[in-house]
Amino acid sequence: MAALARPYTGPTSAERVGLTRWVTTLDHKEIGILYLVTTAVFLVLGGIEALLMRLQLAVPRAEVLGPQAYNALFTMHGTTMVFLVVMPMLLGFANYLVPLMIGARDMAFPRLNALSYWLLLFGGLVLYFGFLAGDAPDTGWFSYAPLTERPYSTGSGVDYWAIGLIVTSVGTIATAVNLLTTVVQLRAPGMTMLRLPIFVWMSLITALLILGAIPALTAAQVMLLFDRRLGTHFFDVGAGGDPVLWQHLFWYFGHPEVYIMVLPAFGMISEIIPVFSRKPLFGRPVVIASGMAIAFLSFLVWAHHMFTVGLGQISDAFFGATSMVIAIPTGIKVFSWLATMWGGRLRLTTAMLFAVGFVAMFTIGGLSGVHFAIVPIDWQTTDTYYVVAHMHYVLFGGTFFAILAATYYWFPKIAGRLLDERLGKWHFWLTFVGFNLTFFPMHLLGLMGMPRRVYTYPDLPGWGPLNLVETVGAFVMAASMLVLLWNLRESLRRGQPASANPWDAWTLEWATSSPPPAYNFETIPPIRSARPLTLTRRSALVPDPPLPQGETPSPPTPCPSGGEGAELASRDEAKLASPVVGMLSFIFSEATFFGALIVAYLDLATASPGGPRPSDLDVPRTAVFSVALFASSATIGAAGRRLGRDDRHGFRLWLGATVVLGAAFLLGQASEYARLYAEGITIGRNLFTSAFFTLTGFHGAHVSVGVLALAGLLGLTLSQPSWLPRRAAVEAVSLYWHFVDAVWVAIFSIVYLRSLL
Amino acid sequence: MSEPQIQLPEASVWPLALAAGLTLTLFGVLTSPALSAAGTLLAAVALGGWIRELRHG
């Protein structure tokens, strides 16, 4: 490695000690570790919940737990594992690894990165506050309406569930914005998109899935909270509300969520199997393309979770077909991993054992998943243990095996020490045996008709013994986790020190020391393939392709820096600045959120038998204050152009005009609300008012945030005449403003103009 | 000519404070308006600190 090209004189991790280091850190590696430790704690909690359920189910008619406690436990177990363990654990790995793998110094927005982590922690604490305060959510992890409505869930458990998850979801969306911007903007020179490691590709696709899916859940949870706290009627059957709307919104989020939890695992496996097979990944471009195909198709399959609702034959046929089609790109990946191993020089390290275990277990889970695409089979097995078996083969045998493989593979990089392989193999075999003992019999019990989510069961032939085997398997898995914990403890204390590249791997994170310094790299090796370390390692068994004739290797290069608002350090050709890319990503998530609210409005606005109705709106009056908002798009554009010409006066003038026009719109909206309330048209009156006030109110809240931000910016430029904001920042704010305007065009057309028809 | 130094963002407490403020604001909706008010105040202070750091960083 070349000498340090640009010396770093800031504080090192070792110089920042104790709690202060961890609560103030902006280093992506330390934030990644915080994610991993926090999610491990939640994993223990979720695991204890599972063990308690298995104790209750060990024998027929047991009385370890009552029905209420059992309901709370399966709700908390599912919610914890999905939202507080699997998804954030994968994001924790992405946080640690993605900047290293692309040759960057940090994430694009380090402060936002820290905010995301703290929102995860605090959201989790809110969720568990309700649980520990005796007000646990007990409606299942997908909390179907109308069970979650006030008359049926009178405590605050559902509220804690919704608010806890809204908080964590905001953090997850912020992480997605950050990951996407980091990969697009901060790649080292030579790291083209096609040379990105597969884990980075899958993290990038996952970020897009998060932005397109999670806001739909947030919107549904907002509606649920409004139903429970403000008296709206979105899912209130008695007032004509639509509980099936909850199912649509939940599963529109829920099925992409499966791939949010699986695609990064695919990425991990695609890194690990080639290294321990000493072969490049078979069909690498096809693996990337199949990841994209999965992401696209995942938005077209949600209603296969709803076949028993009775949506009709056409709907069932469509969603059945798309659900079968999505198995094709998934199968391509399985064949790619098998072909990579075929003829390779396999090294069965613990990481590789878990990776191979992943391929086998995930394939079983995938095959049982295809069964659910066949509508009559789905009808027969819905809400039985067959579903529980399927999802655990995908998420535990699949994703969690990949996480364990990744733990053994990247632990040396993170900790600077190798995990003990002997203990690792004990861990693997105990997990493998315990997992299959626990979950394979569930297939049989499900086909026998044993319903899930029921706290006990009758002593029917075969049910008791199979359940007992499952409980024994669950405790074997718990024992395997104790082996892992012991291995982590011992290896951290006296494990074999790890070199920079203990596995002879090829991706960039192995080019720096283990653990990496605060600044990640001294210099980046030349990158001209997807396996850049083969250029620098003579021991690599499979060489890089030769350079084209006449081309010379590029020299080591500095790596791009992170930092909010940081322009690219080394990609002069970049057309967009990081704040702009970040804002475009954020707008994508906002579009999903407003899309869900608009769908709810279209579903419910005219469903109430009596008034008020859309025709009660004063359209001409609203048109007048809408003009103010539309005009503000032009004024903020003018402000940006003036800033580009260094025309300070003109910039302030047009920025001020935008603030005034935005405020005028808000005043108009306030006066409209005042008139409606004076006429007794309040948010809880009927379905129309529920949907109308929620939709327009959230839009108004967005305009308010924009006006405050612009007014703050104007205040700063007036108080410090010599200071001007960066163009990229103003461009990003302008984009947000244009988006808010565009949303109003849609709302004005759908809510107001449509009422004239 | 000497090489420019590597610039990394300095440690900051404002992300933690902003997350705490936002969470407290929503938590207060279920428990006490006073908590919501305190959360909003904390979030505003944190946002101010965050922006100040960005401007001077």
Side-chain angles (χ1 to χ4, degrees):
Chain A
M1 180 64 67
L4 186 61
R6 298 189 295 171
Y8 171 67
T9 57
T12 64
S13 295
E15 288 163 356
R16 294 182 293 110
V17 293
L19 192 62
T20 312
R21 168 185 172 187
W22 292 101
V23 299
T24 62
T25 184
L26 301 184
D27 182 332
H28 73 98
K29 299 178 290 299
E30 292 182 347
I31 292 171
I33 292 169
L34 285 173
Y35 266 101
L36 296 177
V37 171
T38 304
T39 51
V41 171
F42 282 124
L43 171 68
V44 171
L45 293 174
I48 291 171
E49 288 151 9
L51 289 178
L52 288 171
M53 285 189 286
R54 282 313 324 165
L55 273 180
Q56 165 64 20
L57 295 173
V59 294
R61 302 190 197 288
E63 293 182 356
V64 178
L65 300 170
Q68 278 306 113
Y70 188 86
N71 289 352
L73 283 173
F74 74 66
T75 302
M76 289 302 291
H77 171 74
T79 305
T80 300
M81 290 306 192
V82 170
F83 293 98
L84 304 180
V85 178
V86 175
M87 182 166 55
M89 200 174 261
L90 293 166
L91 292 176
F93 274 105
N95 235 300
Y96 194 98
L97 294 169
V98 165
L100 287 167
M101 286 178 145
I102 64 171
R105 295 217 184 278
D106 208 313
M107 297 282 270
F109 308 112
R111 287 174 183 79
L112 189 67
N113 199 23
L115 175 72
S116 299
Y117 163 72
W118 292 112
L119 287 172
L120 165 75
L121 177 64
F122 293 147
L125 292 179
V126 169
L127 186 70
Y128 270 86
F129 176 84
F131 184 55
L132 298 175
D135 219 356
D138 55 3
T139 51
W141 83 275
F142 41 76
S143 285
Y144 273 1
L147 178 62
T148 45
E149 292 284 295
R150 265 276 187 229
Y152 313 106
S153 294
T154 51
S156 297
V158 171
D159 303 293
Y160 287 121
W161 177 85
I163 284 192
L165 292 191
I166 286 173
V167 171
T168 64
S169 296
V170 172
T172 306
I173 290 165
T175 302
V177 167
N178 218 340
L179 272 174
L180 197 147
T181 310
T182 302
V183 176
V184 170
Q185 295 292 101
L186 296 186
R187 281 172 285 122
M191 181 62 81
T192 62
M193 291 301 281
L194 281 178
R195 291 174 184 168
L196 284 176
I198 299 290
F199 179 70
V200 176
W201 257 113
M202 294 304 128
S203 298
L204 179 65
I205 296 170
T206 300
L208 286 166
L209 281 177
I210 287 171
L211 298 173
I214 287 187
L217 173 66
T218 305
Q221 287 170 325
V222 164
M223 292 180 220
L224 176 62
L225 281 171
F226 279 17
D227 272 10
R228 293 176 56 82
R229 295 275 159 177
L230 298 180
T232 57
H233 307 287
F234 289 101
F235 312 117
D236 173 9
V237 185
D242 184 2
V244 177
L245 174 66
W246 171 272
Q247 293 194 32
H248 278 296
L249 291 175
F250 186 89
W251 290 116
Y252 182 80
F253 143 80
H255 206 82
E257 172 69 11
V258 173
Y259 292 99
I260 288 167
M261 292 189 284
V262 166
L263 283 177
F266 289 172
M268 290 167 163
I269 296 301
S270 301
E271 299 299 332
I272 293 168
I273 285 181
V275 167
F276 294 116
S277 304
R278 308 313 299 159
K279 280 176 68 188
L281 183 67
F282 181 86
R284 191 174 189 281
V286 182
V287 172
I288 297 169
S290 64
M292 292 179 188
I294 288 171
F296 173 73
L297 288 167
S298 73
F299 285 108
L300 299 176
V301 297
W302 80 89
H304 75 222
H305 295 272
M306 300 166 61
F307 283 150
T308 51
V309 168
L311 298 175
Q313 289 182 351
I314 293 174
S315 168
D316 287 356
F318 174 79
F319 285 104
T322 53
S323 303
M324 288 183 196
V325 169
I326 204 168
I328 296 171
T330 311
I332 285 173
K333 286 186 190 297
V334 173
F335 283 115
S336 163
W337 298 319
L338 294 176
T340 305
M341 285 187 275
W342 184 264
R345 293 171 55 181
L346 301 187
R347 289 161 61 195
L348 289 178
T349 60
T350 308
M352 184 62 167
L353 283 175
F354 272 111
V356 175
F358 162 93
V359 176
M361 298 301 100
F362 177 79
T363 302
I364 294 173
L367 288 173
S368 61
V370 177
H371 297 169
F372 292 110
I374 304 162
V375 180
I377 293 181
D378 180 278
W379 287 341
Q380 201 63 29
T381 51
T382 283
D383 270 336
T384 70
Y385 269 86
Y386 199 79
V387 180
V388 183
H390 158 67
M391 64 181 280
H392 282 90
Y393 267 83
V394 171
L395 292 181
F396 196 111
T399 300
F400 198 66
F401 269 47
I403 285 173
L404 292 173
T407 302
Y408 282 89
Y409 183 65
W410 278 297
F411 181 85
K413 179 55 59 186
I414 296 171
R417 290 181 184 275
L418 292 157
L419 279 168
D420 184 272
E421 279 290 308
R422 189 178 57 84
L423 285 172
K425 280 170 182 141
W426 271 101
H427 175 213
F428 169 75
W429 285 111
L430 281 172
T431 308
F432 188 81
V433 171
F435 168 77
N436 281 292
L437 282 178
T438 308
F439 295 108
F440 193 81
M442 290 186 186
H443 292 105
L444 308 174
L445 283 166
L447 293 175
M448 290 178 193
M450 181 170 172
R452 66 171 173 161
R453 296 185 165 183
V454 179
Y455 82 108
T456 190
Y457 57 92
D459 192 8
L460 293 172
W463 287 30
L466 285 172
N467 270 289
L468 187 59
V469 168
E470 289 171 5
T471 300
V472 170
F475 279 88
V476 171
M477 274 200 291
S480 79
M481 293 309 289
L482 291 179
V483 174
L484 173 63
L485 285 176
W486 180 257
N487 197 351
L488 288 168
R489 177 179 181 273
E490 288 301 299
S491 298
L492 280 170
R493 290 171 66 186
R494 53 178 88 97
Q496 183 188 337
S499 64
N501 189 0
W503 311 120
D504 282 347
W506 301 302
T507 39
L508 270 189
E509 76 273 25
W510 304 106
T512 187
S513 61
S514 302
Y519 45 86
N520 285 355
F521 298 95
E522 294 174 356
T523 54
I524 303 287
I527 301 166
R528 52 184 187 80
S529 84
R531 296 182 299 139
L533 295 204
T534 51
L535 276 176
T536 54
R537 290 195 61 86
R538 291 182 186 281
S539 62
L541 297 175
V542 182
D544 249 17
L547 281 169
Q549 203 167 10
E551 190 178 320
T552 53
S554 53
T557 47
C559 67
S561 303
E564 273 92 338
E567 296 290 350
L568 279 176
S570 55
R571 294 182 62 223
D572 297 335
E573 76 278 12
K575 292 189 172 61
L576 295 175
S578 292
V580 174
V581 175
M583 183 56 76
L584 287 170
S585 315
F586 176 64
I587 284 172
F588 180 30
S589 74
E590 288 279 85
T592 307
F593 180 80
F594 276 106
L597 293 183
I598 288 172
V599 164
Y601 180 87
L602 290 170
D603 184 36
L604 301 174
T606 56
S608 286
R613 299 168 185 283
S615 53
D616 290 315
L617 296 172
D618 186 348
V619 179
R621 177 195 175 107
T622 307
V624 171
F625 63 77
S626 297
V627 169
L629 190 64
F630 298 146
S632 69
S633 257
T635 56
I636 199 163
R641 284 192 295 278
R642 295 302 172 109
L643 183 66
R645 287 184 227 144
D646 269 342
D647 176 359
R648 290 160 192 265
H649 178 69
F651 170 69
R652 289 186 198 119
L653 191 71
W654 288 113
L655 192 63
T658 309
V659 172
V660 169
L661 288 168
F665 172 81
L666 287 174
L667 278 175
Q669 194 174 35
S671 70
E672 181 187 29
Y673 279 18
R675 181 186 72 81
L676 292 170
Y677 265 72
E679 293 173 12
I681 302 177
T682 57
I683 190 169
R685 270 289 293 279
N686 67 2
L687 293 172
F688 162 66
T689 58
S690 299
F692 168 78
F693 281 108
T694 303
L695 177 58
T696 57
F698 265 97
H699 179 266
H702 278 67
V703 176
S704 302
V705 169
V707 167
L708 283 174
L710 293 174
L713 195 60
L714 184 63
L716 283 172
T717 60
L718 289 173
S719 64
Q720 293 173 285
S722 61
W723 179 80
L724 272 180
R726 294 174 60 248
R727 281 186 67 185
V730 172
E731 206 178 325
V733 174
S734 300
L735 277 173
Y736 173 82
W737 194 260
H738 292 317
F739 168 73
V740 168
D741 275 10
V743 170
W744 189 250
V745 171
I747 293 175
F748 188 68
S749 306
I750 292 167
V751 176
Y752 292 90
L753 295 182
R754 193 161 153 265
S755 72
L756 299 175
L757 298 177
Chain B
M1 196 173 76
S2 63
E3 290 281 353
Q5 293 206 336
I6 293 170
Q7 295 289 321
L8 292 177
E10 303 228 343
S12 171
V13 77
W14 299 123
L16 164 65
L18 182 57
L22 293 174
T23 308
L24 212 54
T25 303
L26 289 174
F27 186 65
V29 172
L30 301 183
T31 50
S32 156
L35 281 181
S36 281
T40 308
L41 186 66
L42 179 59
V45 170
L47 202 57
W50 184 319
I51 292 168
R52 210 165 34 249
E53 273 184 3
L54 280 183
R55 286 187 60 217
H56 299 297

